[in-house]
Amino acid sequence: MENLYVSIIIPAYNVEKYITRCLESVLVQTYSNFEAIVINDGSSDGTLELIEEFVKKDTRFKLINQENKGLSGARNEGLKIAKGQYITFIDSDDWVHYDYLNSMVEIAGKTGADIISVKEFVTDREMNMQNYVDVVYKVYDMNCADILFAIEDTNFAWGKLIQKELFDGFETFFPEGRHYEDIGSMYKLYDKCRILACIENHYYYYYMRQDSITSVRKQSDIDDKLFFLEEMRNYTLSKNYIFWGYYRLIKLFGIVSDLNKVRGLGKLERKSYLNKIYTLSDEIKIPIRIFKLNSNGLRVLLLKMHIADKILYIKKKLC
């Protein structure tokens, strides 16, 4: 698989503090047959100049300079020009292990997987990279989407090697103008996946920024997540999956939790949101055996009993 060409898509917006670290980790990859498409998404700081330095010193780095379209818009622009047989996304404030590409390409060659995912370290500081002797992985060749729906794999776009063909048929894959776009998109790729490989090694370094969009909660975040959950309700999957209802309930529980993190939300607004959540949860039919799956099963049970919000509210008061 040494001839497999990979397109790395890296959206960048006002990340002058982090972009060099990210691009340096790409530059030192032990697998070299790639293009790195870096999208400067209307940055107003020194991000563009730093990207241009990498473009000048290595022809594998390609720059798209555009007005701000958001993370989804930047990823979609990268997909339009990507020439790789496989796609991988890296967020510009994160970085990757030097064997990130090589490990996933190796497993793609061995298994023929459509999607290969790796584990991530979540950190707020620099970390020494671990030297792995072997790549440890599991392969699934039936109902691959159930691995995602059972929360055995993440719904993040980053940290994965994805067959470009899976994106065919979508005019714009990532929903633009909304946050938490991975919730509203990645399940569609897993539904098309024939073979999935999950690598247990931690090759992706997710940087936990205090100012990132995922570190705070706004009312618009609730609106976006509910929009995606309503869209899921109307989406036609290619087959029936055991854990599809479970997955949606877990996401709904997450919205209940987020409601307690939104400042200035009135009682009537909160009640209106809860009614929407309850309506979406009530119509989901799931087999009772998924409650035995893992600790998340308790979350599902609580939500179905309409008491999850009350427990979270009491916990907030006690803290």
mmCIF file of all heavy atoms in Angstrom, residues 179-222:
data_model
loop_
_atom_site.group_PDB
_atom_site.id
_atom_site.type_symbol
_atom_site.label_atom_id
_atom_site.label_comp_id
_atom_site.label_asym_id
_atom_site.label_seq_id
_atom_site.Cartn_x
_atom_site.Cartn_y
_atom_site.Cartn_z
ATOM 1 N N HIS A 179 -22.565 24.356 14.447
ATOM 2 C CA HIS A 179 -21.522 23.688 15.220
ATOM 3 C C HIS A 179 -21.889 22.212 15.421
ATOM 4 O O HIS A 179 -22.998 21.799 15.138
ATOM 5 C CB HIS A 179 -21.343 24.369 16.574
ATOM 6 C CG HIS A 179 -20.725 25.739 16.468
ATOM 7 N ND1 HIS A 179 -20.895 26.705 17.427
ATOM 8 C CD2 HIS A 179 -19.941 26.296 15.512
ATOM 9 C CE1 HIS A 179 -20.244 27.798 17.079
ATOM 10 N NE2 HIS A 179 -19.656 27.571 15.912
ATOM 11 N N TYR A 180 -20.915 21.434 15.897
ATOM 12 C CA TYR A 180 -21.107 20.003 16.151
ATOM 13 C C TYR A 180 -21.511 19.273 14.866
ATOM 14 O O TYR A 180 -22.349 18.379 14.863
ATOM 15 C CB TYR A 180 -22.139 19.767 17.268
ATOM 16 C CG TYR A 180 -21.760 20.480 18.540
ATOM 17 C CD1 TYR A 180 -22.299 21.730 18.846
ATOM 18 C CD2 TYR A 180 -20.836 19.928 19.416
ATOM 19 C CE1 TYR A 180 -21.926 22.403 20.003
ATOM 20 C CE2 TYR A 180 -20.459 20.601 20.576
ATOM 21 C CZ TYR A 180 -21.007 21.827 20.866
ATOM 22 O OH TYR A 180 -20.634 22.500 22.001
ATOM 23 N N GLU A 181 -20.864 19.690 13.779
ATOM 24 C CA GLU A 181 -21.171 19.155 12.454
ATOM 25 C C GLU A 181 -20.899 17.659 12.345
ATOM 26 O O GLU A 181 -21.546 16.971 11.547
ATOM 27 C CB GLU A 181 -20.378 19.904 11.372
ATOM 28 C CG GLU A 181 -18.869 19.831 11.510
ATOM 29 C CD GLU A 181 -18.329 20.638 12.680
ATOM 30 O OE1 GLU A 181 -18.828 21.743 12.934
ATOM 31 O OE2 GLU A 181 -17.400 20.133 13.355
ATOM 32 N N ASP A 182 -19.981 17.131 13.145
ATOM 33 C CA ASP A 182 -19.686 15.697 13.081
ATOM 34 C C ASP A 182 -20.901 14.857 13.477
ATOM 35 O O ASP A 182 -21.129 13.775 12.930
ATOM 36 C CB ASP A 182 -18.505 15.346 13.993
ATOM 37 C CG ASP A 182 -17.197 15.963 13.497
ATOM 38 O OD1 ASP A 182 -17.190 16.480 12.362
ATOM 39 O OD2 ASP A 182 -16.205 15.928 14.243
ATOM 40 N N ILE A 183 -21.694 15.370 14.445
ATOM 41 C CA ILE A 183 -22.907 14.658 14.857
ATOM 42 C C ILE A 183 -23.859 14.509 13.676
ATOM 43 O O ILE A 183 -24.513 13.477 13.500
ATOM 44 C CB ILE A 183 -23.610 15.396 16.012
ATOM 45 C CG1 ILE A 183 -22.731 15.402 17.271
ATOM 46 C CG2 ILE A 183 -24.970 14.755 16.322
ATOM 47 C CD1 ILE A 183 -23.317 16.203 18.416
ATOM 48 N N GLY A 184 -23.915 15.543 12.849
ATOM 49 C CA GLY A 184 -24.858 15.538 11.749
ATOM 50 C C GLY A 184 -24.333 14.941 10.463
ATOM 51 O O GLY A 184 -25.029 14.989 9.438
ATOM 52 N N SER A 185 -23.140 14.357 10.488
ATOM 53 C CA SER A 185 -22.566 13.870 9.233
ATOM 54 C C SER A 185 -21.934 12.485 9.304
ATOM 55 O O SER A 185 -22.160 11.661 8.416
ATOM 56 C CB SER A 185 -21.505 14.864 8.728
ATOM 57 O OG SER A 185 -20.498 15.077 9.710
ATOM 58 N N MET A 186 -21.180 12.192 10.349
ATOM 59 C CA MET A 186 -20.345 10.992 10.332
ATOM 60 C C MET A 186 -21.142 9.695 10.304
ATOM 61 O O MET A 186 -20.689 8.695 9.738
ATOM 62 C CB MET A 186 -19.388 10.992 11.527
ATOM 63 C CG MET A 186 -18.318 12.081 11.464
ATOM 64 S SD MET A 186 -17.307 11.990 9.954
ATOM 65 C CE MET A 186 -16.413 10.475 10.240
ATOM 66 N N TYR A 187 -22.333 9.683 10.879
ATOM 67 C CA TYR A 187 -23.124 8.441 10.866
ATOM 68 C C TYR A 187 -23.482 8.028 9.442
ATOM 69 O O TYR A 187 -23.688 6.843 9.158
ATOM 70 C CB TYR A 187 -24.379 8.587 11.726
ATOM 71 C CG TYR A 187 -25.434 9.530 11.198
ATOM 72 C CD1 TYR A 187 -26.457 9.077 10.364
ATOM 73 C CD2 TYR A 187 -25.434 10.876 11.552
ATOM 74 C CE1 TYR A 187 -27.445 9.931 9.899
ATOM 75 C CE2 TYR A 187 -26.409 11.739 11.082
ATOM 76 C CZ TYR A 187 -27.408 11.270 10.255
ATOM 77 O OH TYR A 187 -28.377 12.133 9.791
ATOM 78 N N LYS A 188 -23.529 8.994 8.530
ATOM 79 C CA LYS A 188 -23.836 8.698 7.136
ATOM 80 C C LYS A 188 -22.693 7.937 6.466
ATOM 81 O O LYS A 188 -22.925 7.059 5.625
ATOM 82 C CB LYS A 188 -24.132 9.989 6.379
ATOM 83 C CG LYS A 188 -25.314 10.769 6.955
ATOM 84 C CD LYS A 188 -25.474 12.122 6.291
ATOM 85 C CE LYS A 188 -26.586 12.926 6.950
ATOM 86 N NZ LYS A 188 -26.722 14.284 6.361
ATOM 87 N N LEU A 189 -21.460 8.262 6.836
ATOM 88 C CA LEU A 189 -20.307 7.525 6.306
ATOM 89 C C LEU A 189 -20.262 6.108 6.860
ATOM 90 O O LEU A 189 -19.987 5.151 6.124
ATOM 91 C CB LEU A 189 -18.996 8.242 6.661
ATOM 92 C CG LEU A 189 -18.733 9.598 6.016
ATOM 93 C CD1 LEU A 189 -17.346 10.089 6.412
ATOM 94 C CD2 LEU A 189 -18.851 9.533 4.501
ATOM 95 N N TYR A 190 -20.533 5.961 8.145
ATOM 96 C CA TYR A 190 -20.507 4.631 8.755
ATOM 97 C C TYR A 190 -21.606 3.744 8.173
ATOM 98 O O TYR A 190 -21.440 2.530 8.085
ATOM 99 C CB TYR A 190 -20.640 4.740 10.276
ATOM 100 C CG TYR A 190 -19.326 5.036 10.961
ATOM 101 C CD1 TYR A 190 -18.764 6.311 10.912
ATOM 102 C CD2 TYR A 190 -18.627 4.047 11.639
ATOM 103 C CE1 TYR A 190 -17.551 6.585 11.525
ATOM 104 C CE2 TYR A 190 -17.417 4.305 12.258
ATOM 105 C CZ TYR A 190 -16.881 5.584 12.200
ATOM 106 O OH TYR A 190 -15.671 5.847 12.798
ATOM 107 N N ASP A 191 -22.711 4.345 7.782
ATOM 108 C CA ASP A 191 -23.785 3.580 7.161
ATOM 109 C C ASP A 191 -23.346 3.014 5.809
ATOM 110 O O ASP A 191 -23.817 1.953 5.395
ATOM 111 C CB ASP A 191 -25.015 4.474 6.990
ATOM 112 C CG ASP A 191 -26.214 3.734 6.405
ATOM 113 O OD1 ASP A 191 -26.471 2.597 6.830
ATOM 114 O OD2 ASP A 191 -26.881 4.309 5.521
ATOM 115 N N LYS A 192 -22.419 3.688 5.134
ATOM 116 C CA LYS A 192 -21.919 3.237 3.836
ATOM 117 C C LYS A 192 -20.685 2.334 3.962
ATOM 118 O O LYS A 192 -20.227 1.758 2.975
ATOM 119 C CB LYS A 192 -21.569 4.445 2.956
ATOM 120 C CG LYS A 192 -22.771 5.322 2.618
ATOM 121 C CD LYS A 192 -22.351 6.581 1.871
ATOM 122 C CE LYS A 192 -21.882 6.282 0.467
ATOM 123 N NZ LYS A 192 -21.596 7.523 -0.305
ATOM 124 N N CYS A 193 -20.146 2.223 5.167
ATOM 125 C CA CYS A 193 -18.893 1.492 5.393
ATOM 126 C C CYS A 193 -19.109 -0.026 5.334
ATOM 127 O O CYS A 193 -19.989 -0.565 6.007
ATOM 128 C CB CYS A 193 -18.335 1.881 6.759
ATOM 129 S SG CYS A 193 -16.783 1.066 7.192
ATOM 130 N N ARG A 194 -18.287 -0.718 4.534
ATOM 131 C CA ARG A 194 -18.352 -2.181 4.427
ATOM 132 C C ARG A 194 -17.445 -2.861 5.443
ATOM 133 O O ARG A 194 -17.792 -3.873 6.044
ATOM 134 C CB ARG A 194 -17.946 -2.632 3.024
ATOM 135 C CG ARG A 194 -18.822 -2.124 1.893
ATOM 136 C CD ARG A 194 -18.224 -2.491 0.554
ATOM 137 N NE ARG A 194 -16.888 -1.911 0.394
ATOM 138 C CZ ARG A 194 -15.747 -2.576 0.494
ATOM 139 N NH1 ARG A 194 -15.756 -3.869 0.747
ATOM 140 N NH2 ARG A 194 -14.593 -1.959 0.330
ATOM 141 N N ILE A 195 -16.244 -2.296 5.616
ATOM 142 C CA ILE A 195 -15.274 -2.844 6.564
ATOM 143 C C ILE A 195 -14.717 -1.696 7.406
ATOM 144 O O ILE A 195 -14.300 -0.664 6.870
ATOM 145 C CB ILE A 195 -14.111 -3.564 5.845
ATOM 146 C CG1 ILE A 195 -14.639 -4.684 4.944
ATOM 147 C CG2 ILE A 195 -13.112 -4.124 6.857
ATOM 148 C CD1 ILE A 195 -13.562 -5.351 4.098
ATOM 149 N N LEU A 196 -14.716 -1.886 8.710
ATOM 150 C CA LEU A 196 -14.221 -0.886 9.652
ATOM 151 C C LEU A 196 -13.073 -1.481 10.458
ATOM 152 O O LEU A 196 -13.171 -2.617 10.930
ATOM 153 C CB LEU A 196 -15.341 -0.456 10.599
ATOM 154 C CG LEU A 196 -14.960 0.383 11.824
ATOM 155 C CD1 LEU A 196 -14.479 1.767 11.398
ATOM 156 C CD2 LEU A 196 -16.156 0.501 12.777
ATOM 157 N N ALA A 197 -11.994 -0.722 10.601
ATOM 158 C CA ALA A 197 -10.863 -1.147 11.437
ATOM 159 C C ALA A 197 -10.626 -0.101 12.516
ATOM 160 O O ALA A 197 -10.489 1.092 12.211
ATOM 161 C CB ALA A 197 -9.613 -1.331 10.591
ATOM 162 N N CYS A 198 -10.599 -0.531 13.766
ATOM 163 C CA CYS A 198 -10.380 0.373 14.899
ATOM 164 C C CYS A 198 -9.033 0.076 15.537
ATOM 165 O O CYS A 198 -8.821 -1.009 16.098
ATOM 166 C CB CYS A 198 -11.496 0.215 15.925
ATOM 167 S SG CYS A 198 -13.129 0.676 15.308
ATOM 168 N N ILE A 199 -8.117 1.023 15.421
ATOM 169 C CA ILE A 199 -6.776 0.880 15.989
ATOM 170 C C ILE A 199 -6.803 1.322 17.445
ATOM 171 O O ILE A 199 -7.339 2.384 17.778
ATOM 172 C CB ILE A 199 -5.752 1.709 15.180
ATOM 173 C CG1 ILE A 199 -5.641 1.151 13.757
ATOM 174 C CG2 ILE A 199 -4.392 1.725 15.863
ATOM 175 C CD1 ILE A 199 -4.718 1.953 12.845
ATOM 176 N N GLU A 200 -6.220 0.515 18.315
ATOM 177 C CA GLU A 200 -6.221 0.803 19.749
ATOM 178 C C GLU A 200 -5.107 1.769 20.155
ATOM 179 O O GLU A 200 -5.168 2.369 21.228
ATOM 180 C CB GLU A 200 -6.077 -0.502 20.541
ATOM 181 C CG GLU A 200 -7.218 -1.487 20.325
ATOM 182 C CD GLU A 200 -8.548 -0.932 20.795
ATOM 183 O OE1 GLU A 200 -8.595 -0.331 21.883
ATOM 184 O OE2 GLU A 200 -9.534 -1.075 20.056
ATOM 185 N N ASN A 201 -4.094 1.934 19.327
ATOM 186 C CA ASN A 201 -2.980 2.825 19.639
ATOM 187 C C ASN A 201 -3.442 4.286 19.600
ATOM 188 O O ASN A 201 -4.270 4.662 18.782
ATOM 189 C CB ASN A 201 -1.836 2.629 18.642
ATOM 190 C CG ASN A 201 -1.421 1.178 18.505
ATOM 191 O OD1 ASN A 201 -2.241 0.331 18.168
ATOM 192 N ND2 ASN A 201 -0.159 0.883 18.734
ATOM 193 N N HIS A 202 -2.841 5.103 20.471
ATOM 194 C CA HIS A 202 -3.199 6.519 20.555
ATOM 195 C C HIS A 202 -2.277 7.327 19.639
ATOM 196 O O HIS A 202 -1.154 7.675 20.010
ATOM 197 C CB HIS A 202 -3.079 7.010 22.000
ATOM 198 C CG HIS A 202 -4.081 6.396 22.922
ATOM 199 N ND1 HIS A 202 -3.995 5.087 23.343
ATOM 200 C CD2 HIS A 202 -5.204 6.914 23.494
ATOM 201 C CE1 HIS A 202 -5.009 4.817 24.154
ATOM 202 N NE2 HIS A 202 -5.760 5.900 24.244
ATOM 203 N N TYR A 203 -2.781 7.631 18.451
ATOM 204 C CA TYR A 203 -1.967 8.329 17.454
ATOM 205 C C TYR A 203 -2.426 9.763 17.203
ATOM 206 O O TYR A 203 -1.795 10.482 16.441
ATOM 207 C CB TYR A 203 -1.997 7.565 16.123
ATOM 208 C CG TYR A 203 -1.167 6.298 16.109
ATOM 209 C CD1 TYR A 203 -1.762 5.059 15.868
ATOM 210 C CD2 TYR A 203 0.207 6.334 16.312
ATOM 211 C CE1 TYR A 203 -1.005 3.902 15.834
ATOM 212 C CE2 TYR A 203 0.968 5.184 16.286
ATOM 213 C CZ TYR A 203 0.360 3.970 16.045
ATOM 214 O OH TYR A 203 1.111 2.826 16.013
ATOM 215 N N TYR A 204 -3.525 10.169 17.794
ATOM 216 C CA TYR A 204 -4.041 11.520 17.590
ATOM 217 C C TYR A 204 -3.999 12.270 18.919
ATOM 218 O O TYR A 204 -4.422 11.741 19.954
ATOM 219 C CB TYR A 204 -5.476 11.468 17.048
ATOM 220 C CG TYR A 204 -5.994 12.802 16.546
ATOM 221 C CD1 TYR A 204 -5.928 13.128 15.200
ATOM 222 C CD2 TYR A 204 -6.555 13.738 17.418
ATOM 223 C CE1 TYR A 204 -6.400 14.347 14.724
ATOM 224 C CE2 TYR A 204 -7.024 14.955 16.973
ATOM 225 C CZ TYR A 204 -6.942 15.260 15.618
ATOM 226 O OH TYR A 204 -7.399 16.484 15.169
ATOM 227 N N TYR A 205 -3.527 13.527 18.893
ATOM 228 C CA TYR A 205 -3.413 14.332 20.104
ATOM 229 C C TYR A 205 -4.416 15.486 20.020
ATOM 230 O O TYR A 205 -4.234 16.428 19.244
ATOM 231 C CB TYR A 205 -1.989 14.860 20.269
ATOM 232 C CG TYR A 205 -0.993 13.755 20.517
ATOM 233 C CD1 TYR A 205 -0.478 13.004 19.457
ATOM 234 C CD2 TYR A 205 -0.585 13.431 21.801
ATOM 235 C CE1 TYR A 205 0.421 11.968 19.676
ATOM 236 C CE2 TYR A 205 0.320 12.395 22.035
ATOM 237 C CZ TYR A 205 0.812 11.671 20.969
ATOM 238 O OH TYR A 205 1.694 10.651 21.193
ATOM 239 N N TYR A 206 -5.469 15.356 20.791
ATOM 240 C CA TYR A 206 -6.534 16.351 20.805
ATOM 241 C C TYR A 206 -6.226 17.386 21.881
ATOM 242 O O TYR A 206 -6.171 17.069 23.066
ATOM 243 C CB TYR A 206 -7.881 15.681 21.075
ATOM 244 C CG TYR A 206 -9.053 16.637 21.136
ATOM 245 C CD1 TYR A 206 -9.755 16.964 19.985
ATOM 246 C CD2 TYR A 206 -9.441 17.217 22.349
ATOM 247 C CE1 TYR A 206 -10.832 17.844 20.034
ATOM 248 C CE2 TYR A 206 -10.505 18.097 22.406
ATOM 249 C CZ TYR A 206 -11.197 18.406 21.245
ATOM 250 O OH TYR A 206 -12.245 19.280 21.307
ATOM 251 N N TYR A 207 -6.040 18.629 21.446
ATOM 252 C CA TYR A 207 -5.671 19.695 22.374
ATOM 253 C C TYR A 207 -6.912 20.367 22.938
ATOM 254 O O TYR A 207 -7.736 20.896 22.196
ATOM 255 C CB TYR A 207 -4.791 20.725 21.666
ATOM 256 C CG TYR A 207 -4.254 21.805 22.589
ATOM 257 C CD1 TYR A 207 -3.425 21.462 23.655
ATOM 258 C CD2 TYR A 207 -4.578 23.145 22.400
ATOM 259 C CE1 TYR A 207 -2.921 22.441 24.506
ATOM 260 C CE2 TYR A 207 -4.090 24.123 23.243
ATOM 261 C CZ TYR A 207 -3.262 23.769 24.299
ATOM 262 O OH TYR A 207 -2.770 24.730 25.140
ATOM 263 N N MET A 208 -7.061 20.330 24.246
ATOM 264 C CA MET A 208 -8.226 20.884 24.918
ATOM 265 C C MET A 208 -7.992 22.364 25.213
ATOM 266 O O MET A 208 -7.349 22.733 26.199
ATOM 267 C CB MET A 208 -8.502 20.131 26.225
ATOM 268 C CG MET A 208 -9.750 20.592 26.954
ATOM 269 S SD MET A 208 -11.265 20.323 25.996
ATOM 270 C CE MET A 208 -11.387 18.543 26.076
ATOM 271 N N ARG A 209 -8.493 23.209 24.332
ATOM 272 C CA ARG A 209 -8.359 24.655 24.499
ATOM 273 C C ARG A 209 -9.501 25.197 25.343
ATOM 274 O O ARG A 209 -10.648 24.786 25.202
ATOM 275 C CB ARG A 209 -8.375 25.350 23.132
ATOM 276 C CG ARG A 209 -7.140 25.167 22.318
ATOM 277 C CD ARG A 209 -7.354 25.610 20.879
ATOM 278 N NE ARG A 209 -7.888 26.968 20.779
ATOM 279 C CZ ARG A 209 -8.268 27.534 19.641
ATOM 280 N NH1 ARG A 209 -8.216 26.841 18.504
ATOM 281 N NH2 ARG A 209 -8.728 28.763 19.617
ATOM 282 N N GLN A 210 -9.171 26.158 26.193
ATOM 283 C CA GLN A 210 -10.200 26.763 27.038
ATOM 284 C C GLN A 210 -11.164 27.617 26.229
ATOM 285 O O GLN A 210 -12.311 27.822 26.619
ATOM 286 C CB GLN A 210 -9.545 27.623 28.131
ATOM 287 C CG GLN A 210 -8.744 26.816 29.137
ATOM 288 C CD GLN A 210 -9.586 25.772 29.845
ATOM 289 O OE1 GLN A 210 -10.681 26.065 30.315
ATOM 290 N NE2 GLN A 210 -9.081 24.553 29.946
ATOM 291 N N ASP A 211 -10.721 28.108 25.063
ATOM 292 C CA ASP A 211 -11.558 28.987 24.260
ATOM 293 C C ASP A 211 -12.187 28.280 23.067
ATOM 294 O O ASP A 211 -12.733 28.912 22.178
ATOM 295 C CB ASP A 211 -10.738 30.184 23.757
ATOM 296 C CG ASP A 211 -9.564 29.760 22.873
ATOM 297 O OD1 ASP A 211 -9.164 28.582 22.942
ATOM 298 O OD2 ASP A 211 -9.054 30.615 22.122
ATOM 299 N N SER A 212 -12.116 26.938 23.018
ATOM 300 C CA SER A 212 -12.651 26.218 21.871
ATOM 301 C C SER A 212 -14.174 26.191 21.948
ATOM 302 O O SER A 212 -14.771 26.372 23.012
ATOM 303 C CB SER A 212 -12.111 24.786 21.822
ATOM 304 O OG SER A 212 -12.679 24.009 22.844
ATOM 305 N N ILE A 213 -14.829 25.935 20.785
ATOM 306 C CA ILE A 213 -16.290 25.936 20.753
ATOM 307 C C ILE A 213 -16.878 24.778 21.547
ATOM 308 O O ILE A 213 -18.048 24.813 21.920
ATOM 309 C CB ILE A 213 -16.819 25.895 19.303
ATOM 310 C CG1 ILE A 213 -16.375 24.599 18.601
ATOM 311 C CG2 ILE A 213 -16.386 27.102 18.530
ATOM 312 C CD1 ILE A 213 -17.013 24.406 17.245
ATOM 313 N N THR A 214 -16.083 23.756 21.826
ATOM 314 C CA THR A 214 -16.594 22.611 22.576
ATOM 315 C C THR A 214 -16.387 22.761 24.078
ATOM 316 O O THR A 214 -16.790 21.898 24.842
ATOM 317 C CB THR A 214 -15.924 21.314 22.094
ATOM 318 O OG1 THR A 214 -14.497 21.434 22.214
ATOM 319 C CG2 THR A 214 -16.281 21.036 20.644
ATOM 320 N N SER A 215 -15.722 23.864 24.528
ATOM 321 C CA SER A 215 -15.466 24.034 25.960
ATOM 322 C C SER A 215 -16.539 24.878 26.639
ATOM 323 O O SER A 215 -16.557 24.997 27.855
ATOM 324 C CB SER A 215 -14.089 24.674 26.178
ATOM 325 O OG SER A 215 -14.049 25.976 25.620
ATOM 326 N N VAL A 216 -17.417 25.508 25.862
ATOM 327 C CA VAL A 216 -18.511 26.307 26.402
ATOM 328 C C VAL A 216 -19.812 25.853 25.743
ATOM 329 O O VAL A 216 -19.806 25.173 24.728
ATOM 330 C CB VAL A 216 -18.278 27.811 26.144
ATOM 331 C CG1 VAL A 216 -17.061 28.311 26.897
ATOM 332 C CG2 VAL A 216 -18.120 28.083 24.648
ATOM 333 N N ARG A 217 -20.938 26.262 26.316
ATOM 334 C CA ARG A 217 -22.235 25.905 25.754
ATOM 335 C C ARG A 217 -23.082 27.163 25.590
ATOM 336 O O ARG A 217 -23.191 27.984 26.518
ATOM 337 C CB ARG A 217 -22.966 24.902 26.652
ATOM 338 C CG ARG A 217 -22.290 23.544 26.732
ATOM 339 C CD ARG A 217 -22.349 22.792 25.417
ATOM 340 N NE ARG A 217 -21.781 21.467 25.545
ATOM 341 C CZ ARG A 217 -20.487 21.188 25.384
ATOM 342 N NH1 ARG A 217 -19.635 22.163 25.088
ATOM 343 N NH2 ARG A 217 -20.048 19.962 25.523
ATOM 344 N N LYS A 218 -23.663 27.314 24.417
ATOM 345 C CA LYS A 218 -24.551 28.434 24.120
ATOM 346 C C LYS A 218 -25.908 27.885 23.682
ATOM 347 O O LYS A 218 -26.019 26.704 23.342
ATOM 348 C CB LYS A 218 -23.947 29.323 23.019
ATOM 349 C CG LYS A 218 -22.629 29.963 23.401
ATOM 350 C CD LYS A 218 -22.078 30.816 22.267
ATOM 351 C CE LYS A 218 -21.667 29.964 21.088
ATOM 352 N NZ LYS A 218 -21.026 30.754 20.014
ATOM 353 N N GLN A 219 -26.906 28.742 23.681
ATOM 354 C CA GLN A 219 -28.235 28.297 23.263
ATOM 355 C C GLN A 219 -28.216 27.809 21.821
ATOM 356 O O GLN A 219 -28.911 26.859 21.465
ATOM 357 C CB GLN A 219 -29.244 29.434 23.426
ATOM 358 C CG GLN A 219 -30.687 29.003 23.216
ATOM 359 C CD GLN A 219 -31.666 30.066 23.628
ATOM 360 O OE1 GLN A 219 -31.313 31.051 24.278
ATOM 361 N NE2 GLN A 219 -32.923 29.891 23.248
ATOM 362 N N SER A 220 -27.387 28.427 20.984
ATOM 363 C CA SER A 220 -27.287 28.002 19.585
ATOM 364 C C SER A 220 -26.745 26.579 19.465
ATOM 365 O O SER A 220 -27.073 25.859 18.514
ATOM 366 C CB SER A 220 -26.399 28.967 18.791
ATOM 367 O OG SER A 220 -25.084 29.010 19.325
ATOM 368 N N ASP A 221 -25.915 26.162 20.446
ATOM 369 C CA ASP A 221 -25.414 24.785 20.443
ATOM 370 C C ASP A 221 -26.562 23.800 20.643
ATOM 371 O O ASP A 221 -26.612 22.741 19.997
ATOM 372 C CB ASP A 221 -24.375 24.587 21.552
ATOM 373 C CG ASP A 221 -23.139 25.447 21.350
ATOM 374 O OD1 ASP A 221 -22.809 25.746 20.188
ATOM 375 O OD2 ASP A 221 -22.505 25.815 22.353
ATOM 376 N N ILE A 222 -27.477 24.137 21.546
ATOM 377 C CA ILE A 222 -28.647 23.294 21.779
ATOM 378 C C ILE A 222 -29.480 23.204 20.503
ATOM 379 O O ILE A 222 -29.924 22.117 20.102
ATOM 380 C CB ILE A 222 -29.509 23.852 22.925
ATOM 381 C CG1 ILE A 222 -28.669 24.045 24.206
ATOM 382 C CG2 ILE A 222 -30.695 22.937 23.190
ATOM 383 C CD1 ILE A 222 -28.087 22.799 24.770
#
